[in-house]
Amino acid sequence: MSIKYIATSKLPTPWGVFAMHGFEDTETGKEHVALTFGELSGDQPVLGRIHSECLTGDALFSLRCDCGFQLQAAMQSIAEAGQGFILYLRQEGRGIGLLNKIRAYALQDKGANTVEANEQLGFEADMRRYDMIQPMLEHLGITSVRLMTNNPRKVKAMQDVGVDVAERVPLQVGKNQYNEAYLKTKSTQLGHLMSEHHFADDEF
Ligand SMILES: Nc1nc2c(ncn2[C@@H]2O[C@H](COP(=O)(O)OP(=O)(O)OP(=O)(O)O)[C@@H](O)[C@H]2O)c(=O)[nH]1
Ligand SMILES: [Zn+2]
């Protein structure tokens, strides 16, 4: 893993003006992005999110998953807190890529769940890696985080690369009629921590 910092610019958003930092993984050619908000120096844990790319949810308004809603909620929370970060990692489709994710969605249209669909295509359920996190956070001067996620594997992955996770902050947003089964599968088969409340109410 070889992560190279490239450049920083402003990124004005509906929630405030973030700074956008570009990184290149020189082994894979993947272009990762970090967004930061406010002043990040100091010893206090920083509110943040590690977000894996989901073109369909993040950019195309898909209701099949909760990604876009989580991204927006995280940016809003960070802006409200006055400080925080998002690492936007280019590992689409839990690491299988966009076209394979569309193949997996086609299988899900025929009844497979999100895990079965990956396996029918010959992939593991989750092929993501998180070793790019350490050099990206080191560049930003972040050593301890309050991580917005429902995924305990992300917490472990961060600890494995030496980042202190002071707190896991649940991020349950965006449930709807199209992603309810997907969220349930995340909870029962991928280990995500979701309160039953999330499945009981009908609101976004
Ligand atoms: N293969 C596959 N990938 C999916 C599917 N639905 C969403 N994804 C991908 O799943 C990933 C979700 O990433 P995150 O939201 O960062 O992570 P998470 O594991 O859901 O954990 P949270 O932090 O709780 O959101 C993205 O890369 C999506 O593209 C699916 O049905 N099949
Ligand atoms: Zn998604």
Side-chain angles (χ1 to χ4, degrees), residues 53-54 56-58 64-68 101 105 182:
E53 178 175 13
C54 178
T56 47
D58 298 339
R64 292 192 78 127
C65 59
D66 53 347
C67 306
K101 187 172 82 168
Y105 276 162
Y182 167 73

Side-chain angles (χ1 to χ4, degrees), residues 6 8 115 149 156 181:
I6 303 295
T8 295
V115 170
T149 184
K156 183 173 182 309

Side-chain angles (χ1 to χ4, degrees), residues 49-58 64-68 70-71 87 89-98 100-102 104-105 108 113-115 117-118 121 123-126 128 130 147-154 168-172 182-183 186 190 192-194:
R49 171 154 177 82
I50 310 295
H51 192 89
S52 301
E53 178 175 13
C54 178
L55 181 85
T56 47
D58 298 339
R64 292 192 78 127
C65 59
D66 53 347
C67 306
Q70 289 183 308
L71 182 60
L87 299 192
L89 305 178
R90 310 297 297 283
Q91 37 191 358
E92 172 64 66
R94 295 197 300 271
I96 67 175
L98 177 63
N100 285 321
K101 187 172 82 168
I102 296 174
Y105 276 162
Q108 290 172 58
N113 70 32
T114 184
V115 170
N118 262 38
L121 291 169
F123 299 114
E124 289 164 32
D126 191 342
R128 285 175 288 179
Y130 294 100
L147 189 66
M148 290 183 273
T149 184
N150 307 318
N151 185 349
R153 284 196 278 182
K154 266 188 200 170
R168 182 186 73 85
V169 180
L171 190 60
Q172 294 188 205
Y182 167 73
L183 294 178
K186 285 220 288 195
L190 290 171
H192 287 63
L193 302 166
M194 312 245 200

Side-chain angles (χ1 to χ4, degrees), residues 144-164:
S144 177
V145 304
R146 296 173 56 229
L147 189 66
M148 290 183 273
T149 184
N150 307 318
N151 185 349
R153 284 196 278 182
K154 266 188 200 170
V155 175
K156 183 173 182 309
M158 292 195 77
Q159 291 165 337
D160 286 349
V161 297
V163 178
D164 175 51

Side-chain angles (χ1 to χ4, degrees), residues 21-161:
H21 316 268
F23 296 83
E24 180 187 356
D25 181 336
T26 52
E27 272 171 39
T28 63
K30 294 268 184 200
E31 299 171 322
H32 302 297
V33 165
L35 301 183
T36 57
F37 193 90
E39 188 51 57
L40 296 184
S41 61
D43 293 339
Q44 290 302 309
V46 182
L47 182 65
R49 171 154 177 82
I50 310 295
H51 192 89
S52 301
E53 178 175 13
C54 178
L55 181 85
T56 47
D58 298 339
L60 300 178
F61 315 102
S62 171
L63 299 178
R64 292 192 78 127
C65 59
D66 53 347
C67 306
F69 303 100
Q70 289 183 308
L71 182 60
Q72 292 194 27
M75 290 176 75
Q76 183 171 357
S77 294
I78 288 166
E80 282 169 5
Q83 188 203 43
F85 73 92
I86 289 178
L87 299 192
Y88 192 90
L89 305 178
R90 310 297 297 283
Q91 37 191 358
E92 172 64 66
R94 295 197 300 271
I96 67 175
L98 177 63
L99 301 183
N100 285 321
K101 187 172 82 168
I102 296 174
R103 289 191 176 103
Y105 276 162
L107 293 171
Q108 290 172 58
D109 288 342
K110 294 191 182 126
N113 70 32
T114 184
V115 170
E116 293 162 350
N118 262 38
E119 289 172 355
Q120 285 174 25
L121 291 169
F123 299 114
E124 289 164 32
D126 191 342
M127 311 208 36
R128 285 175 288 179
R129 45 193 282 191
Y130 294 100
D131 43 357
M132 66 293 265
I133 289 174
Q134 193 277 332
M136 291 175 77
L137 289 183
E138 186 175 292
H139 178 89
L140 300 171
I142 297 168
T143 54
S144 177
V145 304
R146 296 173 56 229
L147 189 66
M148 290 183 273
T149 184
N150 307 318
N151 185 349
R153 284 196 278 182
K154 266 188 200 170
V155 175
K156 183 173 182 309
M158 292 195 77
Q159 291 165 337
D160 286 349
V161 297

